[in-house]
Amino acid sequence: MPAPLPAPAPATPTRRSWRQALRVYLEPASLRMLALGFSAGLPLLLVLGTLSFWLREAGVDRTTIGYLSWVGLAYAFKWVWSPLVDRMPLPLLTRWLGRRRSWLLLAQALVMAGLAGMAWQDPRADLAALVWCALAVAFGSATQDIALDAFRIESADADRQAALAATYQTGYRLAMIWAGAGVLWLAARAEAGGIAGYQPLAWRTAYLAMAASMLVGVFTVLLSPEPEPRPLPAARSAAEWLRGALVAPFADFIRRYRWQAALVLALIAVYRIADVVMGIMANPFYVDMGFSKDEVAAVTKVYGVAMTLAGAFVGGAMAMRWGVMRVLMLGAVLSAASNLLFAWLATRGHDVAGLVFVVSADNLAGGIASAAFIAYLSGLTNVQYSATQYALFSSMMLLLPKWLAGFSGAFVDAHGYATFFVGTALLGAPVLLLVALAARVKTTETAANP
């Protein structure tokens, strides 16, 4: 089998003016990522955060809600089937749309079907059926992520990846407004007689609307150009194809980073741990603090996401101007520290002004961290294996945090919300050391590849 193409040597970053750095957001590739980011961001809350609000309102206990968050582990294991998405053509679709767009369209269809299935379930009557539909949504969404990450990485050079990450995050967060605030707003408006409380038909209306909203991604895929196809070496046998699809992408990463690969993977595994573990209990926390659907929708799902968008744009611009690693460190500090504000809010009860303050700080920090982290992950990939390697990295990012998050409900039941939020902040402390060490790995790689 021909040897894989070597990863391109990292280029010395060109220092731009702020105007030049911001102009990249108007380029066609950036605008396409805005719409595709919406398609990617829509399913996540619907099987995690918004679902936890629905389940808590239906009377499901917090411990069960925590365990059900393991549905999200589909995102952590997407590296298992990512080589198929990276290389296997789909009958008819690939010839019509190309390798990346065919997989995107198939994944979006699965997400739409799963959301429609969730809409017709009542957790009080058949929780298991709802969970199976949620698993289908998570699997389809994870598959869409694999294809979309490759589509993004192959759509522009490395110099523009931070900007594409920022516009992707913008679309992603706009979808989260719709999948968070939109669902709650639709469910509140659909409540019979205007009486607040749990009503299955109200949630059915909301989730059917979410299924229809995936058409944004479908139309974008149909109207977007396929990235320039990367030539793949011809396989002489099934065994050789499997080696090229499954073994070569991981061997390439180890070959390029050697023993330092363990450090890079460790950073990826824990960078977002404070946010992910805390996030599962956020919506049950709002319900238990007495916040209404409209209050949660307005503050946490609209205003809060707007703050995340601001953070994503600032983070993307700062990464282009000052470098990814510096912004990565800043995001790690801010993300862990903002969890302490939730511990303070837990002592305040139903305090809307306090909720606005805490959500502002938390989402601004999260936006900065996310933009820098996506740019960092993108820079680690070899374009020869973009889908598989990025799926490995993004899966590593979620595996440990999602597993720990499954126990969050039991921890809150035993120790209370305030202690839980302080504990999640402390989980972010080791990340700072790993970022500092990873910055040295980047310097070593750059020096080794002038």
Side-chain angles (χ1 to χ4, degrees):
M1 181 179 64
L5 297 177
T12 303
T14 302
R15 192 172 183 85
R16 294 179 172 85
S17 68
W18 281 107
R19 185 175 182 179
Q20 291 173 321
L22 294 173
R23 191 181 301 159
V24 70
Y25 292 120
L26 298 178
E27 295 179 355
S30 297
L31 296 177
R32 283 193 292 270
M33 290 312 305
L34 182 69
L36 291 173
F38 180 91
S39 178
L42 191 73
L44 183 64
L45 281 182
L46 299 175
V47 296
L48 293 173
T50 302
L51 179 60
S52 69
F53 193 107
W54 178 4
L55 295 176
R56 188 59 178 158
E57 189 179 68
V60 179
D61 63 90
R62 287 180 300 228
T63 298
T64 300
I65 292 173
Y67 292 144
L68 290 180
S69 72
W70 283 337
V71 167
L73 284 174
Y75 295 93
F77 284 100
K78 62 186 178 183
W79 59 271
V80 175
W81 66 93
S82 64
L84 299 179
V85 178
D86 203 3
R87 296 199 166 204
M88 189 176 79
L90 296 172
L92 301 179
L93 278 179
T94 297
R95 180 173 297 180
W96 173 37
L97 296 171
R99 195 179 355 150
R100 302 309 182 197
R101 292 194 300 153
S102 60
W103 277 100
L104 281 172
L105 192 63
L106 178 65
Q108 289 164 352
L110 180 57
V111 170
M112 292 178 70
L115 289 175
M118 291 179 69
W120 288 94
Q121 308 304 323
D122 179 358
R124 287 182 173 179
D126 193 348
L127 182 59
L130 179 65
V131 172
W132 280 111
C133 290
L135 280 170
V137 174
F139 181 79
S141 177
T143 303
Q144 179 183 219
D145 288 349
I146 296 168
L148 183 50
D149 289 330
F151 184 91
R152 172 176 52 80
I153 292 169
E154 294 172 3
S155 294
D157 55 31
D159 195 38
R160 283 170 165 73
Q161 287 300 323
L164 292 189
T167 52
Y168 169 89
Q169 282 290 304
T170 301
Y172 199 96
R173 299 299 173 174
L174 288 173
M176 294 182 77
I177 291 177
W178 185 230
V183 164
L184 297 180
W185 184 84
L186 289 170
R189 301 290 84 75
E191 288 169 344
I195 301 173
Y198 178 65
Q199 296 185 22
L201 291 179
W203 286 101
R204 177 178 300 171
T205 300
Y207 265 69
L208 285 175
M210 295 301 109
S213 299
M214 283 297 296
L215 290 172
V216 171
V218 171
F219 287 130
T220 303
V221 168
L222 294 176
L223 296 174
S224 296
E226 177 76 0
E228 187 68 26
R230 305 284 177 178
L232 298 175
R236 291 187 295 268
S237 65
E240 187 176 64
W241 186 90
L242 287 174
R243 282 197 300 272
L246 298 174
V247 178
F250 304 106
D252 168 78
F253 177 73
I254 300 299
R255 178 183 58 79
R256 287 188 288 124
Y257 288 92
R258 303 193 181 191
W259 66 269
Q260 295 170 327
L263 174 61
V264 173
L265 293 176
L267 172 60
I268 293 170
V270 300
Y271 185 74
R272 301 310 307 275
I273 193 168
D275 287 344
V276 173
V277 175
M278 185 276 289
I280 296 301
M281 283 295 111
N283 278 311
F285 171 67
Y286 302 142
V287 174
D288 292 341
M289 292 296 104
F291 294 106
S292 68
K293 287 189 186 76
D294 286 336
E295 287 171 336
V296 174
V299 178
T300 72
K301 309 303 182 183
V302 177
Y303 177 75
V305 174
M307 295 299 293
T308 305
L309 295 180
F313 272 102
V314 170
M318 286 193 302
M320 291 187 71
R321 184 172 172 83
W322 297 328
V324 169
M325 299 308 296
R326 292 178 181 175
V327 184
L328 205 65
M329 176 66 81
L330 176 64
V333 172
L334 295 178
S335 294
S338 64
N339 285 12
L340 297 176
L341 297 178
F342 278 93
W344 169 79
L345 184 62
T347 67
R348 305 281 297 177
H350 185 267
D351 182 354
V352 176
L355 181 65
V356 170
F357 170 69
V358 172
V359 166
S360 298
D362 182 62
N363 285 267
L364 185 65
I368 293 172
S370 293
F373 193 48
I374 291 174
Y376 176 67
L377 296 185
S378 300
L380 295 175
T381 62
N382 182 342
V383 293
Q384 185 79 2
Y385 310 109
S386 54
T388 302
Q389 290 185 347
Y390 197 95
L392 169 65
F393 301 147
S394 54
S395 297
M396 289 285 297
M397 173 185 72
L398 293 172
L399 182 57
L400 178 60
K402 289 292 185 187
W403 180 77
L404 284 178
F407 301 101
S408 59
F411 189 95
V412 171
D413 284 340
H415 304 287
Y417 281 112
T419 303
F420 169 71
F421 291 133
V422 171
T424 60
L426 294 177
L427 286 174
V431 177
L432 306 180
L433 175 61
L434 289 172
V435 173
L437 293 174
R440 298 180 62 185
V441 169
K442 184 175 185 294
T443 301
T444 300
E445 287 293 310
T446 302
N449 297 283

